[in-house]
Amino acid sequence: MKHNADLTGFRLLLSLAHPDDESFGMGGAIAYYAQRGVAISLICATNGDVGSVDPEWLERYDTIAELRLAELRCAAEALGIQNVATYGYRDSGMMGTPDNDHPDCLWQADEDVVTGRIVRDIRAFRPHVVVTFDPFGGYGHPDHIYMHRATTRAFHAAGDPAQFSEHAAEGLAPYQPAKLYYTIFPRLPLRFMLWAARLRGEDPRRMGRNHDLDMQAALENQLPTTTRLKVGGDHQTRWDAAAGCHASQQNPRQGSGLVNWLSRVIFNRQDFTRVYPPLNGREPLESDLFAGVSPG
């Protein structure tokens, strides 16, 4: 398939955890495929309501969840995401925190129920390609790990008429997507991030606003890259706009001058691991999530 070929008629489903996962993580790839005509749908499992928010951001909103979901709608429009399904679970916070024990959080949700909801959306959206988190959840977030597990199960269950057969009453037929991918940090930018953190005197195992992100563990648990997309200037501009929609959060793409230029140079690619179909020996690096997929 030609690298910049029109992909109208193809469909992509992103199965993620929080408002901002779509923008901070793979916004460049989303903008790239939207520009090529792909119909993109997003599952956002939580309301992001445990995220840290400064008081001034809540002046026009009653709750953190209301704010975060408004930011998600803004980002989806900026990136060209056509459908957004929100599941409404409470954010679980980082691993080992009291928020993991809250009965309404995603980490405590019945995995069969969540898997069934994802299967329903797969059967409704009928994507050719599904993307979710890697087994470590990028940087160990329990909601990311949960969505990795539930989405992987749902991907394989969606085409089986014996699983979640109650969907037939809703007019939803079994449907098997062609490919499943996990998002991963590009190794070189991640190493640069860790080097820069050490240069600033920051502990790579205690990064972020709340010092609860272990980015060294993210590097140690990284999967091999099977697919790499180049995201150019126009896609990066839309990526920046979407990330800017999540203004209440610590935007990793925010900066000006040299900082912004470095960000665009270092993060000019998006890496993925193809899980299905499984790799057949040592295959060349893919440059398109839709390589080998037929429309329909």
Side-chain angles (χ1 to χ4, degrees), residues 258-289:
L258 180 61
V259 173
N260 186 262
W261 179 83
L262 279 173
S263 175
R264 284 171 170 260
V265 170
I266 294 169
F267 294 98
N268 67 348
R269 65 192 195 189
Q270 303 254 253
D271 285 3
F272 301 85
T273 292
R274 195 182 82 206
V275 184
Y276 185 88
L279 295 178
N280 182 19
R282 192 173 180 83
E283 297 182 19
L285 197 68
E286 290 182 319
S287 60
D288 195 338
L289 298 178

Side-chain angles (χ1 to χ4, degrees), residues 29-185:
I30 298 170
Y32 171 77
Y33 280 115
Q35 188 270 333
R36 292 178 66 187
V38 174
I40 303 172
S41 298
L42 168 68
I43 293 170
C44 180
T46 80
N47 294 331
D49 42 358
V50 176
S52 299
V53 172
D54 293 331
E56 63 264 25
W57 295 110
L58 291 172
E59 292 177 358
R60 294 189 295 114
Y61 300 95
D62 293 331
T63 65
I64 292 176
E66 186 181 337
L67 162 67
R68 299 294 307 278
L69 292 175
E71 291 178 334
L72 175 62
R73 290 190 293 272
C74 170
E77 183 176 355
L79 289 172
I81 297 172
Q82 297 178 356
N83 303 295
V84 178
T86 54
Y87 287 0
Y89 289 99
R90 190 179 191 271
D91 188 340
S92 304
M94 290 303 292
M95 197 71 78
T97 64
D99 290 308
N100 291 169
D101 299 323
H102 195 287
D104 296 332
C105 79
L106 182 62
W107 191 245
Q108 295 297 328
D110 185 327
E111 190 174 304
D112 288 339
V113 172
V114 178
T115 299
R117 294 183 74 171
I118 300 171
V119 168
R120 179 183 286 107
D121 283 334
I122 289 174
R123 290 171 174 173
F125 296 148
R126 302 178 69 82
H128 298 88
V129 174
V130 176
V131 178
T132 191
F133 301 101
D134 67 14
F136 188 63
Y139 53 85
H141 197 295
D143 288 335
H144 294 187
I145 294 169
Y146 191 105
M147 288 304 286
H148 154 78
R149 294 172 180 168
T151 304
T152 301
R153 281 185 60 192
F155 177 88
H156 295 291
D160 184 352
Q163 298 200 52
F164 304 100
S165 56
E166 65 272 17
H167 294 165
E170 304 172 41
L172 298 176
Y175 174 81
Q176 181 59 58
K179 301 176 88 173
L180 173 64
Y181 287 91
Y182 298 156
T183 61
I184 56 175
F185 286 108

Side-chain angles (χ1 to χ4, degrees), residues 233-249:
D234 290 345
H235 309 125
Q236 294 235 8
T237 298
R238 292 177 65 184
W239 188 359
D240 287 339
C245 287
H246 297 285
S248 71
Q249 302 302 295

